[in-house]
Amino acid sequence: GDSVTQMEGPVTLSEEAFLTINCTYTATGYPSLFWYVQYPGEGLQLLLKATKADDKGSNKGFEATYRKETTSFHLEKGSVQVSDSAVYFCALGNTGGFKTIFGAGTRLFVKA
Amino acid sequence: NAGVTQTPKFQVLKTGQSMTLQCAQDMNHNSMYWYRQDPGMGLRLIYYSASEGTTDKGEVPNGYNVSRLNKREFSLRLESAAPSQTSVYFCASRLSWADNTEAFFGQGTRLTVV
Protein backbone atom coordinates (compact mmCIF):
# COMPACT_ATOMS: atom_id res chain seq x y z
CA GLY A 1 0.00 0.00 0.00
CA ASP A 2 0.89 3.66 -0.13
CA SER A 3 3.30 4.94 2.50
CA VAL A 4 5.37 7.95 3.52
CA THR A 5 8.69 7.85 5.36
CA GLN A 6 10.25 10.97 6.79
CA MET A 7 13.36 11.54 8.83
CA GLU A 8 13.10 11.13 12.55
CA GLY A 9 13.51 14.11 14.78
CA PRO A 10 13.96 16.14 16.64
CA VAL A 11 16.07 18.37 14.45
CA THR A 12 17.78 21.22 16.32
CA LEU A 13 19.26 24.12 14.38
CA SER A 14 20.56 27.58 15.11
CA GLU A 15 18.81 30.57 13.61
CA GLU A 16 19.80 31.23 9.98
CA ALA A 17 20.95 27.63 9.43
CA PHE A 18 19.94 25.63 6.36
CA LEU A 19 17.14 23.12 6.83
CA THR A 20 16.48 19.84 5.05
CA ILE A 21 13.84 17.36 6.16
CA ASN A 22 13.83 14.21 4.07
CA CYS A 23 10.66 12.55 2.83
CA THR A 24 10.30 9.52 0.56
CA TYR A 25 7.14 7.81 -0.55
CA THR A 26 5.72 4.63 -2.03
CA ALA A 27 2.59 4.96 -4.11
CA THR A 28 0.69 3.62 -7.07
CA GLY A 29 -0.47 5.98 -9.74
CA TYR A 30 0.31 9.68 -9.68
CA PRO A 31 -0.08 11.04 -6.18
CA SER A 32 0.00 14.63 -4.99
CA LEU A 33 2.51 15.42 -2.27
CA PHE A 34 2.12 17.82 0.63
CA TRP A 35 3.99 19.32 3.53
CA TYR A 36 1.87 20.30 6.52
CA VAL A 37 3.11 22.22 9.57
CA GLN A 38 1.80 22.01 13.13
CA TYR A 39 2.69 24.85 15.50
CA PRO A 40 2.46 24.19 19.24
CA GLY A 41 -1.11 23.76 20.43
CA GLU A 42 -2.60 24.04 16.95
CA GLY A 43 -3.92 21.80 14.22
CA LEU A 44 -2.07 21.04 11.01
CA GLN A 45 -2.04 23.57 8.21
CA LEU A 46 -0.87 23.22 4.65
CA LEU A 47 2.62 24.59 4.03
CA LEU A 48 3.06 23.65 0.37
CA LYS A 49 2.11 21.06 -2.20
CA ALA A 50 3.05 19.65 -5.60
CA THR A 51 0.68 17.76 -7.85
CA LYS A 52 2.95 16.25 -10.50
CA ALA A 53 6.53 15.19 -11.12
CA ASP A 54 9.14 18.00 -11.22
CA ASP A 55 6.70 20.50 -9.69
CA LYS A 56 8.19 22.69 -6.98
CA GLY A 57 5.97 23.81 -4.13
CA SER A 58 7.01 26.88 -2.16
CA ASN A 59 5.70 29.03 0.67
CA LYS A 60 7.18 31.22 3.44
CA GLY A 61 10.72 30.48 2.21
CA PHE A 62 10.19 26.71 2.27
CA GLU A 63 10.54 24.66 -0.91
CA ALA A 64 10.10 21.05 -1.97
CA THR A 65 10.44 19.42 -5.39
CA TYR A 66 8.45 16.38 -6.47
CA ARG A 67 11.08 13.87 -7.65
CA LYS A 68 9.46 10.85 -9.24
CA GLU A 69 12.76 9.18 -10.11
CA THR A 70 13.83 9.10 -6.46
CA THR A 71 10.27 9.05 -5.02
CA SER A 72 11.19 11.96 -2.79
CA PHE A 73 9.76 15.31 -1.66
CA HIS A 74 12.38 16.80 0.64
CA LEU A 75 11.59 20.05 2.47
CA GLU A 76 14.23 22.80 2.43
CA LYS A 77 14.65 26.31 3.75
CA GLY A 78 17.74 28.43 3.30
CA SER A 79 17.64 30.30 6.61
CA VAL A 80 15.42 29.15 9.47
CA GLN A 81 13.97 31.40 12.15
CA VAL A 82 12.93 30.69 15.73
CA SER A 83 9.32 31.03 14.57
CA ASP A 84 9.79 27.99 12.29
CA SER A 85 9.93 25.72 15.34
CA ALA A 86 7.12 23.24 14.77
CA VAL A 87 6.33 19.70 13.68
CA TYR A 88 6.45 19.09 9.93
CA PHE A 89 4.46 16.32 8.25
CA CYS A 90 5.00 14.96 4.77
CA ALA A 91 1.81 13.59 3.22
CA LEU A 92 0.63 11.81 0.10
CA GLY A 93 -2.76 11.98 -1.58
CA ASN A 94 -3.88 9.72 -4.37
CA THR A 95 -6.69 10.67 -6.71
CA GLY A 96 -9.43 8.11 -6.60
CA GLY A 97 -8.73 7.45 -2.94
CA PHE A 98 -10.30 9.08 0.07
CA LYS A 99 -7.38 8.94 2.44
CA THR A 100 -4.31 11.09 2.77
CA ILE A 101 -1.30 9.19 4.11
CA PHE A 102 0.80 11.14 6.64
CA GLY A 103 4.36 10.58 7.72
CA ALA A 104 5.19 10.35 11.41
CA GLY A 105 6.22 14.01 11.61
CA THR A 106 9.57 15.68 12.27
CA ARG A 107 9.92 18.11 15.15
CA LEU A 108 12.14 21.13 14.45
CA PHE A 109 13.66 23.29 17.18
CA VAL A 110 15.36 26.52 16.15
CA LYS A 111 17.60 28.22 18.72
CA ALA A 112 18.21 31.96 18.77
CA ASN B 1 -13.10 32.71 9.32
CA ALA B 2 -13.94 29.84 11.65
CA GLY B 3 -12.85 26.99 9.32
CA VAL B 4 -13.00 23.73 11.27
CA THR B 5 -14.17 23.96 14.88
CA GLN B 6 -13.78 21.15 17.39
CA THR B 7 -15.22 20.87 20.87
CA PRO B 8 -14.14 20.31 23.56
CA LYS B 9 -10.45 21.26 23.51
CA PHE B 10 -9.58 19.17 26.57
CA GLN B 11 -11.32 16.26 28.27
CA VAL B 12 -10.51 13.79 31.02
CA LEU B 13 -12.58 10.61 31.18
CA LYS B 14 -12.64 7.64 33.48
CA THR B 15 -12.32 4.19 31.94
CA GLY B 16 -15.72 3.03 30.73
CA GLN B 17 -17.24 6.49 30.35
CA SER B 18 -18.62 7.65 27.04
CA MET B 19 -18.33 10.94 25.23
CA THR B 20 -18.84 12.58 21.86
CA LEU B 21 -16.35 14.85 20.14
CA GLN B 22 -17.99 17.46 17.97
CA CYS B 23 -16.69 18.89 14.71
CA ALA B 24 -18.19 21.50 12.41
CA GLN B 25 -16.88 23.18 9.27
CA ASP B 26 -18.21 26.28 7.56
CA MET B 27 -16.42 25.92 4.22
CA ASN B 28 -19.10 23.86 2.46
CA HIS B 29 -16.70 20.93 2.22
CA ASN B 30 -17.98 17.54 1.18
CA SER B 31 -15.47 15.25 2.91
CA MET B 32 -14.69 15.09 6.62
CA TYR B 33 -12.21 13.03 8.64
CA TRP B 34 -11.26 12.06 12.18
CA TYR B 35 -7.60 11.39 13.02
CA ARG B 36 -5.77 10.57 16.19
CA GLN B 37 -2.23 11.75 16.83
CA ASP B 38 0.09 9.76 19.07
CA PRO B 39 3.78 10.40 19.78
CA GLY B 40 6.03 8.86 17.14
CA MET B 41 3.08 7.61 15.08
CA GLY B 42 1.95 10.68 13.23
CA LEU B 43 -1.69 10.89 12.22
CA ARG B 44 -3.84 7.80 11.91
CA LEU B 45 -7.24 7.88 10.27
CA ILE B 46 -10.11 6.66 12.46
CA TYR B 47 -13.17 7.25 10.26
CA TYR B 48 -14.04 9.40 7.30
CA SER B 49 -17.07 10.64 5.46
CA ALA B 50 -16.50 11.13 1.75
CA SER B 51 -19.79 12.97 1.39
CA GLU B 52 -22.93 13.72 3.38
CA GLY B 53 -24.75 10.49 4.15
CA THR B 54 -21.72 8.18 3.97
CA THR B 55 -19.15 7.07 6.52
CA ASP B 56 -16.31 4.54 6.29
CA LYS B 57 -13.69 3.02 8.53
CA GLY B 58 -10.14 4.20 8.43
CA GLU B 59 -7.00 2.62 9.78
CA VAL B 60 -7.93 2.44 13.49
CA PRO B 61 -11.75 2.38 13.89
CA ASN B 62 -12.10 -0.04 16.82
CA GLY B 63 -13.75 1.53 19.86
CA TYR B 64 -15.19 4.48 17.93
CA ASN B 65 -18.36 5.37 16.08
CA VAL B 66 -19.16 8.38 13.91
CA SER B 67 -22.16 10.30 12.68
CA ARG B 68 -22.30 12.65 9.72
CA LEU B 69 -25.15 14.72 11.06
CA ASN B 70 -25.36 17.00 8.02
CA LYS B 71 -22.92 18.51 5.56
CA ARG B 72 -21.34 20.71 8.25
CA GLU B 73 -21.06 18.36 11.21
CA PHE B 74 -19.20 15.11 11.82
CA SER B 75 -19.07 13.70 15.36
CA LEU B 76 -16.89 11.00 16.90
CA ARG B 77 -18.21 8.90 19.77
CA LEU B 78 -16.34 6.79 22.28
CA GLU B 79 -18.86 4.39 23.80
CA SER B 80 -16.64 2.97 26.54
CA ALA B 81 -13.37 4.84 26.87
CA ALA B 82 -10.13 2.94 27.45
CA PRO B 83 -6.68 4.25 28.45
CA SER B 84 -5.42 3.25 24.97
CA GLN B 85 -7.68 5.99 23.59
CA THR B 86 -5.69 8.70 25.34
CA SER B 87 -4.60 10.83 22.40
CA VAL B 88 -5.03 14.10 20.56
CA TYR B 89 -7.95 13.95 18.14
CA PHE B 90 -8.16 16.07 15.01
CA CYS B 91 -11.07 16.66 12.73
CA ALA B 92 -10.34 17.67 9.14
CA SER B 93 -12.33 18.56 6.06
CA ARG B 94 -11.65 18.66 2.36
CA LEU B 95 -13.57 20.26 -0.47
CA SER B 96 -13.97 17.09 -2.48
CA TRP B 97 -13.37 13.39 -2.24
CA ALA B 98 -10.31 13.79 -4.48
CA ASP B 99 -7.39 13.27 -2.20
CA ASN B 100 -5.08 15.71 -3.98
CA THR B 101 -6.83 18.70 -2.46
CA GLU B 102 -5.83 20.51 0.70
CA ALA B 103 -7.15 19.31 4.06
CA PHE B 104 -8.16 21.84 6.72
CA PHE B 105 -7.75 20.85 10.35
CA GLY B 106 -9.35 21.83 13.62
CA GLN B 107 -7.25 22.73 16.65
CA GLY B 108 -7.60 19.32 18.21
CA THR B 109 -9.08 17.71 21.32
CA ARG B 110 -6.67 16.43 23.92
CA LEU B 111 -8.32 13.42 25.58
CA THR B 112 -6.98 11.65 28.64
CA VAL B 113 -8.57 8.40 29.84
CA VAL B 114 -7.65 7.42 33.39
Side-chain angles (χ1 to χ4, degrees):
Chain A
D2 295 352
S3 66
V4 174
T5 303
Q6 60 182 107
M7 63 188 287
E8 288 189 28
V11 173
T12 302
L13 296 173
S14 297
E15 211 166 20
E16 299 184 2
F18 185 85
L19 168 71
T20 300
I21 300 178
N22 291 337
C23 172
T24 57
Y25 68 91
T26 302
T28 56
Y30 303 95
S32 293
L33 300 172
F34 306 85
W35 278 101
Y36 284 83
V37 58
Q38 183 182 29
Y39 297 106
E42 298 185 9
L44 281 71
Q45 56 187 273
L46 181 68
L47 179 60
L48 54 85
K49 76 174 191 179
T51 57
K52 62 182 187 296
D54 299 325
D55 267 1
K56 177 185 284 188
S58 61
N59 186 26
K60 299 181 181 179
F62 290 89
E63 292 184 340
T65 301
Y66 188 158
R67 303 281 188 202
K68 194 168 173 64
E69 64 275 13
T70 55
T71 62
S72 65
F73 192 55
H74 304 322
L75 182 68
E76 296 181 337
K77 187 175 185 184
S79 176
V80 294
Q81 305 300 313
V82 172
S83 57
D84 293 326
S85 297
V87 181
Y88 292 83
F89 292 89
C90 186
L92 176 155
N94 233 327
T95 54
F98 298 106
K99 301 183 287 290
T100 299
I101 308 296
F102 287 88
T106 302
R107 185 175 294 277
L108 171 66
F109 292 105
V110 181
K111 303 180 296 184
Chain B
N1 291 340
V4 179
T5 303
Q6 290 182 234
T7 55
K9 287 187 169 49
F10 301 93
Q11 184 71 49
V12 179
L13 290 179
K14 293 182 179 178
T15 298
Q17 287 186 318
S18 63
M19 79 163 293
T20 299
L21 281 65
Q22 307 286 353
C23 175
Q25 51 89 10
D26 62 0
M27 296 173 283
N28 202 34
H29 285 176
N30 290 299
S31 300
M32 298 184 73
Y33 306 78
W34 277 105
Y35 292 89
R36 59 178 288 172
Q37 183 181 31
D38 301 294
M41 303 190 74
L43 291 174
R44 292 184 291 171
L45 183 64
I46 305 171
Y47 270 93
Y48 64 98
S49 172
S51 60
E52 186 180 357
T54 69
T55 60
D56 284 286
K57 295 178 180 179
E59 184 183 354
V60 288
N62 291 345
Y64 305 95
N65 283 299
V66 291
S67 295
R68 183 74 182 266
L69 304 169
N70 47 55
K71 191 170 185 179
R72 291 185 64 247
E73 298 172 287
F74 187 41
S75 62
L76 178 72
R77 183 160 178 84
L78 286 70
E79 290 291 352
S80 179
S84 60
Q85 295 177 304
T86 294
S87 187
V88 181
Y89 292 84
F90 287 100
C91 178
S93 71
R94 184 178 277 112
L95 177 61
S96 76
W97 61 266
D99 222 17
N100 60 355
T101 56
E102 177 183 357
F104 292 81
F105 286 80
Q107 288 197 314
T109 297
R110 185 173 295 276
L111 174 67
T112 302
V113 183
V114 298

